[in-house]
Structure formats: structure tokens, C-alpha cells
Amino acid sequence: MEGKLFLVPTPIGNLEDMTFRAIRILKECDLILAEDTRTSAPMLKHFGIDKKVFAHHQHNEHKATSEIIKFLNEGQKIALISDAGTPAISDPGFFLVREAIKNEIPVECLPGATAFVPALVNSGLPADAFCFEGFLPVKKGRQTKFKKLAEEDRTIILYESPHRLLKTLEEFAQYLGADRQASVSRELTKMFEETVRGTLLEIKSHFENNTLKGEFVICIAGKTATKSKNKYDDAEE
């Protein structure tokens, strides 16, 4: 029997976003790899999924991957999930996928929840071309990254934590200009979902006077978008 690795997206907040296919795969697989077993346990219980669950995160993925590859070569069906969203998108998964491919093990990624797509579409910024940066470097390489993004023509998307949001917005205003159009979404799909649109300065001012809670997705207009109209606007004329 041929083994197979499944990458299964999980809801980023609202459990109604779980797909029927994702539930079926998790129920049928031999074991589940989870970024944090404590976080995944309530979600798995909610959907009646009773399987062996092992931790697979950034601190153990290199060490654990050889054992997982062994299980896959023995014919086991293994599903990888992250705490929320799609595995390998700013979460563990890339290394395991690469090793599975090297060992000619089938890999199947299910479509499903990921935070940056709804944030981009909801931002009102051009979505025909964009670059996803995940989380910015905290220290080393951070200034270089800002200088590079200042020349980016596409819409820029990145994730940020509550305690670094204001600093990041301030730095973007410094390198890209305080009047650059942007959008910040938090608590996507949850009860207190919020999207704030405006200039970088306006958005920073908003969050300086409001509670910083939840996961944040920042979308920023590219360099050329500030100088010309969206190509779709031109097509309507």
C-alpha cells in the first residue's frame, strides 16, 4: 500500500469554514501531525475526529521528519495540520513536503482557509498581482527588507503580531511614505472581525487608540498603485 502525505487547512477562526473533504481526510488517515496538539484538540473533537495526534512544529520538524518519511514509506496515510490555516504558509510544512517529494511520496494539499486571501480581497487594493511576505524579520535583515519593499510595485501582504503592529506600521510609513494606502485586518472570520483602510498614518492612528488583539494581516499598495489608477479602472473608460 502506498503512503501519502495530506496537507489539510483548518479554520482560521470560524469552525464553519472547515470543508467536508478536510473532515473526511482527517478521519480516514492513520495519524495527524499538528503544530500544537493542545490547540488542535478542541477542533478535532468538535468534528468527531479521533486519531493519534503527534506534535510537528518548527522546533522538532527537522528531527521528526525522517521518522515520518519512514511511516509514509511503510504505506501510512498522514495528515499535516497547523494551528490555523494552510500548512507551510508561515507555518511548518515546507521541509516535510520537500523531503516527501525527494522520497517520491505522493503529496496532496487540500484547498481551504488561509488568512491573507480574504484580507487581500477585502482590502480594496489591486489583487491582480501581489507579493506575500509572511512575517518580517524581527532584527537581522529587517531594514534591508523595508528598503526592498519600498520599490515593490505589487500589493504587499504580510502577517504581524499585536505587540509589533504599531512599530511595523511606523516603519512602513517611514520607508514607503505616510500617505501610502493600506489595509489592516484582524480576527478574520471571528465575531470581532475588523478591517481598517486608509493611509499608513491613518491606520496607525486608529490602532494607537484601540485594543490590539488578535492576528493581523497588513496589505499595502505597491509603488505604482499610488501613481496611477487600477488597470481595471482604465478598462471601464
Side-chain angles (χ1 to χ4, degrees), residues 188-207:
L188 286 166
T189 78
K190 300 178 184 178
M191 182 180 296
F192 298 106
E193 176 177 331
E194 177 185 24
T195 294
V196 180
R197 306 174 186 85
T199 66
L200 286 167
L201 185 61
E202 290 169 341
I203 295 173
K204 179 175 179 289
S205 177
H206 169 85
F207 284 110

Side-chain angles (χ1 to χ4, degrees), residues 80-91:
L80 173 66
I81 61 175
S82 61
D83 287 348
T86 301
I89 302 296
S90 293
D91 279 318

Side-chain angles (χ1 to χ4, degrees), residues 120-132:
L120 170 62
V121 175
N122 201 30
S123 72
L125 299 173
D128 54 313
F130 59 88
C131 66
F132 174 66

Side-chain angles (χ1 to χ4, degrees), residues 45-60:
K45 182 178 180 180
H46 177 83
F47 292 111
I49 299 166
D50 184 17
K51 291 287 178 177
K52 291 183 291 184
V53 182
F54 295 97
H56 186 79
H57 45 72
Q58 62 178 343
H59 302 296
N60 76 347

